[in-house]
Amino acid sequence: MYNPKSDKAEEFIDHNEIIKTLEYSNNNKNNRKLIEEIIEKAKEKKGLNHKEAILLLDNEYEDLNEEIYKLARQIKKDFYGNRIVLFAPLYLSNYCVNGCVYCPYHYKNKHITRKKLTQEEIEKEVIALQDMGHKRLAIEAGEDPVNNPIEYILKSIDTIYNTKHKNGSIRRVNVNIAATTEENYKKLKERGIGTYILFQETYHKENYENLHPTGPKHNYAYHTEAMDRAMRAGIDDVGLGVLYGLSLYRYELVGLLMHKEHLEAVFGVGPHTISVPRIKKADDINPEVFDNGIDDKTFEKIIAILRIAVPYTGMIISTRENENVRKRALELGITQISGGSKTSVGGYYEAEPVEKNSSQFDVSDLRSLDEVTNWLLKLGYIPSFCTACYRNGRVGADFMEVCKKEEIHNFCGPNAIMTLKEYLEDYASNETKKTGDEIIKNEIEQIENPILKEKIIKNLQLIEEGKRDFRV
Ligand code: SF4
Ligand code: SF4
């Protein structure tokens, strides 16, 4: 029985409710009046529920779809301004006891190189990432209680935060590890993590169980209820996502929004981020064997619908996607992207030899961080290395309150300018520096509040003189 407030996965992600919702949407997708009403509601920028969102996704009226895209662009601008936050993944270990059929780290894959970084290696990787200009990392590790116990993850987080090289520092570590106990989530919280990210992969229980035939991850309820344990343990910000291509995307969109509604109903705060990964080619994995792949057009529409259904949640796209797809995704709602990423265990400090491949998936966007930064500038965005909210305690419900009032961009803009300036001073190529400095000049002109404007100008001068780490 569907109950968003239940603590049982099968009740807050109720299969029958999803099927009923999909039928409702199918029956109403030619109901223009109803779709128009939902678009009007979306214009209030308070979000949409799963029933409304799926109907917009299923809508085939071309003019209404254009209106949806326009609204998605507007909402993104109103909430986040023109900044795009940059981050990089850091794979700590690819040992894994699970049997996920879509991931090369599954335990049966005997030809992938297995690796686990030592603390010394992590330090080297972090220095290499700092030297690129990164300030925000997402750490990734397979599930393996012997090779990657929680103590290893905690120690690695300490190493990352404690590594300081030249002007570099990692100021926010987000964590993407397997579903774990409330006690372990408390330990992660104590270590000062940013967002805890866990992709659901698929909300369809039967498919989920088939795709995860062995290992602890086979347990659908334990995995789906992970965010509840994390939030009960005091983790303020959690990140959701499904792996598009595993199950039918309509089902996934409804499931994902029901998960969001559940978190809001129980904890009063929805997900901090939503990621939109699509299944990609990797060692031992051929994405063509999964019949549920979605084309670029559908993918873009999902991003736009999510943007208007959940205006106050950051949206992330990785280098799984190529430049063109990322460009369109940025227009329609994405607020955070990875840049210069390696999806191997190690590989930032020293490139991995081809015959020793340890990657989780093939990267489609191979550009360096500097190239991505330059590209963003030329597209009219402000590349941002900001980590201010988490460090100023603007997290969880407090963050949502600011965001829902459409005030977060008042923080994002100035922080983007200051962290971009740091990047330009310390790491950028000449060309990127030149473009970036010009854009910063224009951005400052647009700050309306004279006190803030003066403060930012002063801080920019201080950054030029060698001071670092300003934030509002
Ligand atoms: Fe392991 Fe995660 Fe890959 Fe599954 S998806 S095999 S849990 S690393
Ligand atoms: Fe993110 Fe907050 Fe910085 Fe904006 S001000 S970019 S929401 S950390």
Side-chain angles (χ1 to χ4, degrees), residues 141-201:
E143 179 167 16
D144 186 326
V146 174
N147 286 296
N148 318 329
I150 191 72
E151 292 71 27
Y152 169 71
I153 304 292
L154 299 174
K155 198 153 190 248
S156 304
I157 295 169
D158 287 346
T159 303
I160 295 168
Y161 278 134
N162 291 333
T163 301
K164 309 276 178 214
H165 178 68
K166 298 185 182 164
N167 283 335
S169 66
I170 298 302
R171 299 172 181 161
R172 177 174 179 133
V173 178
N174 296 333
V175 174
N176 183 354
I177 60 163
T180 185
T181 61
E182 205 170 312
E183 197 186 316
N184 285 345
Y185 287 126
K186 279 191 188 137
K187 292 179 185 166
L188 287 170
K189 160 84 181 169
E190 280 159 18
R191 273 334 200 263
I193 69 161
T195 311
Y196 171 66
I197 302 160
L198 181 68
F199 297 159
Q200 176 63 29
E201 320 297 8

Side-chain angles (χ1 to χ4, degrees), residues 309-328:
V310 201
Y312 44 83
T313 291
M315 283 176 61
I316 304 178
I317 200 164
S318 77
T319 53
R320 282 173 190 261
E321 301 296 341
N322 66 34
E323 179 179 332
N324 285 337
V325 172
R326 299 216 306 165
K327 179 167 178 262
R328 183 85 174 129

Side-chain angles (χ1 to χ4, degrees), residues 86 132 134 323 326 330 337-342 365-379 383 385 423 427-433 435:
L86 287 150
M132 288 161 69
H134 279 296
E323 179 179 332
R326 299 216 306 165
L330 285 171
I337 63 171
S338 48
S341 302
K342 302 275 184 236
D365 187 343
L366 294 161
R367 293 170 298 167
S368 68
L369 181 61
D370 190 72
E371 285 168 327
V372 172
T373 305
N374 201 309
W375 172 72
L376 288 173
L377 287 165
K378 288 188 172 149
L379 290 176
F385 298 86
Y423 175 82
Y427 309 106
S429 63
N430 290 340
E431 195 203 325
T432 305
K433 180 159 170 35
T435 318

Side-chain angles (χ1 to χ4, degrees), residues 83 85 136 386-389 394 399 408 411-412 415:
R83 61 79 171 158
V85 171
R136 177 189 287 247
C386 173
T387 54
C389 284
R394 237 177 355 249
F399 173 86
I408 197 67
F411 297 96
C412 296
N415 286 322

